[in-house]
Amino acid sequence: MNTINGTLTYIYLFLLIGLVGFATLTHAEKPPENILKNGDFDLNLEGWHHWTHADAAALFQPEGKKAEPVVGKKVAYIKISKAGNAVWHVQFYQQPFTLEKGTTYTYNLWAKSEKPRTVIIRILHQGDPWNEYARQTINLSETWKEFFITFKMTADDVNTRAGIIMGGQKVDVWLDHIRLYEGEFISDIEGAEPQPVEPTDKLTTTWAALKAL
């Protein structure tokens, strides 16, 4: 009887170790590769671009501990002193990179603002006719929140842009941990409660449609 109990104990321990090992491997799985460079702003704003319309004015700069970064030691801080007359009058973006037709991607970022406001996140072709592959308005507040948008590419594009547009409201914005990767959303920060958003239109839209806003 003791031999049987001892054997069962060893079998139980073996199975338990195997399950723990499997769970550890699953948890330790690496997050998907980020297509964007310097998404955590460790290199300040290297790799990122910005643009403001003649009717707007904004200062784009890295900010450190004061901003309470989500990841690393720095964030992107956009101090808007003149909002302009449209949301596209203040832009922060990265380009170019290649996305493939039929492939599913997720665009994922953390953001907060001086006081509640909206901004638009989007993936688009850099250049005429400025086709948009994903676009959504997100609601920011004084607290860091994670947002993501998952979409399927409708065309091969070797000159794609990922951006945030934030004109029209004179309210400062902070951005951190910006990612673009293949597949569905994958959380890589423990305890995060992401805010999923859906593309407003499954089809591409054009610059003319954007200007109408």
Side-chain angles (χ1 to χ4, degrees), residues 5 9 16 40 49 62 69 72 87 89 98 108 121 128 130 171 179 181 197 212:
N5 288 338
T9 299
L16 182 62
D40 295 333
H49 308 276
V87 65
H89 283 185
T98 298
N108 185 186
I121 58 175
D128 190 46
W130 304 94
V171 179
R179 298 186 293 155
Y181 49 88
V197 293

Side-chain angles (χ1 to χ4, degrees), residues 43-176:
L43 302 176
N44 298 315
L45 301 189
E46 182 177 318
W48 292 91
H49 308 276
H50 54 81
W51 178 87
T52 54
H53 189 271
D55 293 331
L59 178 65
F60 299 80
Q61 64 185 32
E63 186 166 87
K65 185 165 55 177
K66 180 181 178 181
E68 300 179 338
V70 175
V71 174
K73 297 181 179 180
K74 298 176 184 177
V75 306
Y77 172 41
I78 298 88
K79 182 176 179 58
I80 301 172
S81 55
K82 189 177 179 183
N85 302 315
V87 65
W88 56 274
H89 283 185
V90 179
Q91 304 188 23
F92 185 73
Y93 57 94
Q94 186 170 137
Q95 65 181 57
F97 48 85
T98 298
L99 297 183
E100 298 179 353
K101 182 179 180 179
T103 300
T104 296
Y105 296 92
T106 296
Y107 184 30
N108 185 186
L109 57 81
W110 287 75
K112 67 177 182 177
S113 54
E114 180 184 11
K115 59 184 180 181
R117 65 158 297 164
T118 59
V119 302
I120 291 177
I121 58 175
R122 61 181 186 162
I123 303 293
L124 70 157
H125 174 73
Q126 168 57 29
D128 190 46
W130 304 94
N131 289 333
E132 291 185 330
Y133 305 113
R135 170 192 177 93
Q136 184 59 51
T137 300
I138 59 176
N139 298 308
L140 308 187
S141 69
E142 298 90 337
T143 303
W144 283 112
K145 290 182 181 179
E146 183 176 24
F147 302 89
F148 70 89
I149 183 170
T150 298
F151 62 98
K152 181 176 286 188
M153 280 293 289
T154 56
D156 290 320
D157 196 332
V158 299
N159 196 19
T160 316
R161 173 195 286 195
I164 303 96
I165 51 178
M166 60 199 94
Q169 299 175 62
K170 188 177 174 293
V171 179
D172 298 350
V173 173
W174 289 262
L175 305 168
D176 198 8

